[in-house]
């Protein structure tokens, strides 16, 4: 009773409530969410959340909190992965989404698709998962253990394995979140949104320090004085803060800058600074992002205007999932 405090709410109390409740949603004691595989500041659904017997009720409540915040225009204090937002919006997942989750697995699956695997790989329509220290085999389709992967059916294998890995043990949890979310936000109202727009609406746009960003950037096959690099930072400085957030999302997967600034960016294998790499493609191509490495591949554009136009196109088109990979 001593902790109860009366107050008149002109928006501040509600804003604080959303901030506190959203932080509590990701409290590890509830086992609902865990950090994503590639950083320590975005969250994904915990596949082992079932250790909490009431986890589906909690997840529906989480969906309602997210929906209420979106509907009423308040911000939450937790950032989710792009895959989470795509699933919330019923946007189909694809192999490219794997790159940000497990780049090594992504490269393996892409190799399977691009090469003849006849008499090379001995695979069946199964995969293994580890749960509480024990390994369990899961069939990707009925009788999958007795179905060999061949050159003819490898596309189906990669599709089913990708679907399993991206939705691994979390279908019920995501369905509960979506039920709660749509209790307050009818599905047609968010039909035209993409994951980046939903994140910006829910988490807001914090002021992005371009000088800090630039001071903590690295380059491959370019130097800080290369014309393309000079033009790039000139382009970023000229952007509105919203567009800077979209660019950051495009390259790193989230608009969130970690505590301590750009020096503390994390990639799939530990600390990984923002990196610009020369793309050995014609200037007619758009920039390409690799979110697991915080890497932006920039072709050698011929003018500032060309770079600016291609960069703005990439962050708009790429956020919708049609960018090159």
């Amino acid at each position: 009773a001593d902790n109860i405090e009366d107050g008149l709410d002109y928006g501040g109390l509600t804003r604080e409530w959303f901030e506190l409740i959203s932080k509590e949603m990701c409290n590890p004691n509830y086992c609902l969410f865990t950090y994503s595989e590639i950083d320590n500041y975005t969250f994904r659904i915990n596949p082992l959340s079932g250790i909490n017997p009431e986890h589906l009720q909690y997840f529906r409540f989480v969906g309602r909190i997210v929906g209420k915040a979106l509907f009423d225009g308040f911000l939450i204090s937790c950032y989710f992965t792009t895959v989470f937002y795509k699933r919330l919006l019923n946007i189909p997942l694809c192999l490219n989404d794997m790159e940000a989750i497990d780049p090594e697995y992504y490269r393996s699956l892409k190799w399977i698709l691009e090469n003849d695997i006849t008499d090379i790989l001995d695979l069946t329509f199964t995969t293994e998962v580890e749960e509480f220290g024990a390994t369990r085999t899961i069939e990707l389709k009925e009788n999958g253990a007795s179905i060999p992967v061949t050159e003819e059916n490898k596309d189906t294998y990669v599709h089913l394995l990708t679907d399993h890995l991206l939705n691994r043990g979390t279908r019920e949890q995501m369905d509960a979140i979506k039920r709660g979310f749509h209790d307050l936000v009818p599905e047609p109202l968010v039909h035209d949104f993409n994951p980046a727009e939903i994140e910006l609406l829910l988490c807001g746009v914090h002021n992005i320090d371009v000088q800090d960003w630039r001071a903590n950037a690295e380059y491959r096959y370019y130097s800080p004085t290369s014309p393309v690099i000079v033009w790039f930072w000139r382009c970023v400085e000229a952007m509105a803060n919203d567009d800077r957030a979209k660019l950051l999302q495009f390259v790193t997967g989230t608009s969130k800058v970690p505590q301590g600034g750009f020096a503390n960016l994390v990639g799939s294998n530990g600390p990984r600074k923002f990196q610009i790499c020369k793309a050995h493609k014609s200037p007619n191509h758009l920039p390409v992002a690799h979110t697991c490495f915080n890497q932006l591949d920039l072709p050698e554009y011929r003018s500032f205007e060309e770079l600016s136009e291609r960069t703005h196109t990439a962050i708009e088109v790429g956020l919708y999932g049609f960018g090159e990979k």
Side-chain angles (χ1 to χ4, degrees):
D2 292 340
N3 294 326
I4 296 176
E5 180 182 352
D6 292 331
L8 295 175
D9 186 11
Y10 296 102
L13 292 179
T14 303
R15 184 165 56 250
E16 183 181 6
W17 183 83
F18 273 110
E19 180 180 354
L20 294 174
I21 195 69
S22 58
K23 285 181 179 177
E24 197 66 12
M25 290 185 325
C26 298
N27 185 328
N29 292 331
Y30 296 112
C31 301
L32 301 178
F33 295 96
T34 185
Y35 286 119
S36 73
E37 292 87 341
I38 63 170
D39 60 45
N40 59 359
Y41 40 84
T42 56
F43 290 93
R44 63 183 177 93
I45 297 172
N46 186 351
L48 305 179
S49 64
I51 195 172
N52 178 343
E54 298 180 331
H55 70 135
L56 296 182
Q57 292 171 267
Y58 278 100
F59 278 118
R60 186 167 186 177
F61 178 67
V62 166
R64 287 176 171 173
I65 293 297
V66 173
K68 181 68 172 172
L70 183 67
F71 195 84
D72 288 353
F74 286 96
L75 302 179
I76 60 176
S77 297
C78 50
Y79 287 74
F80 297 109
T81 62
T82 300
V83 167
F84 175 92
Y85 290 119
K86 290 185 77 169
R87 295 175 69 189
L88 182 66
L89 298 171
N90 291 318
I91 297 173
L93 301 177
C94 63
L95 179 58
N96 283 343
D97 293 311
M98 271 297 299
E99 187 178 16
I101 303 296
D102 190 328
E104 193 169 323
Y105 222 126
Y106 164 78
R107 286 193 293 271
S108 297
L109 294 179
K110 198 165 186 189
W111 186 91
I112 290 174
L113 292 178
E114 294 175 348
N115 294 273
D116 189 336
I117 63 170
T118 305
D119 299 326
I120 296 178
L121 298 179
D122 183 19
L123 298 170
T124 60
F125 276 71
T126 61
T127 188
E128 293 183 343
V129 297
E130 189 170 313
E131 296 177 348
F132 303 109
T135 301
R136 183 165 64 94
T137 299
I138 293 178
E139 294 187 321
L140 300 174
K141 61 189 303 185
E142 190 175 355
N143 300 319
S146 60
I147 303 174
V149 178
T150 66
E151 183 66 18
E152 289 70 32
N153 66 18
K154 68 180 184 180
D155 285 7
T156 302
Y157 168 77
V158 169
H159 171 75
L160 291 174
L161 183 56
T162 299
D163 179 70
H164 168 75
L165 293 171
L166 293 174
N167 296 289
R168 180 164 45 194
T170 60
R171 292 186 193 278
E172 285 186 325
Q173 296 95 314
M174 194 69 224
D175 286 344
I177 290 173
K178 288 195 283 189
R179 279 197 302 274
F181 182 73
H182 293 306
D183 283 344
L184 288 105
V185 182
E187 190 168 353
L189 290 184
V190 292
H191 179 73
D192 293 327
F193 285 94
N194 64 50
E197 290 167 334
I198 289 294
E199 183 188 69
L200 291 176
L201 286 172
L202 285 170
C203 301
V205 180
H206 302 282
N207 188 51
I208 295 175
D209 186 340
V210 179
Q211 297 308 312
D212 179 48
W213 193 351
R214 186 172 188 170
N216 288 287
E218 296 178 343
Y219 309 99
R220 289 182 63 199
Y221 311 115
Y222 283 126
S223 74
T225 57
S226 299
V228 167
I229 299 303
V230 174
W231 293 335
F232 173 79
W233 291 115
R234 178 180 159 195
C235 175
V236 175
E237 287 173 350
M239 286 179 177
N241 203 55
D242 285 8
D243 285 336
R244 291 175 189 163
K246 290 180 181 179
L247 175 62
L248 186 60
Q249 281 177 320
F250 178 62
V251 182
T252 69
T254 177
S255 63
K256 180 177 176 62
V257 178
Q259 191 73 26
F262 283 91
N264 294 326
L265 278 181
V266 176
S268 60
N269 56 355
R272 172 80 67 163
K273 290 191 175 183
F274 179 85
Q275 184 178 85
I276 301 176
C277 180
K278 181 185 288 188
H280 298 289
K281 295 182 177 180
S282 82
N284 294 325
H285 286 79
L286 296 177
V288 175
H290 302 278
T291 56
C292 51
F293 304 122
N294 299 331
Q295 179 179 314
L296 180 67
D297 292 351
L298 275 182
E300 198 161 7
Y301 295 116
R302 294 159 292 198
S303 68
F304 168 75
E305 290 73 21
E306 186 175 56
L307 179 142
S308 180
E309 187 272 329
R310 297 282 192 273
T311 301
H312 279 90
T313 300
I315 64 177
E316 294 298 335
V317 175
L319 293 175
Y320 278 90
F322 297 110
E324 291 182 278
K325 282 287 185 186

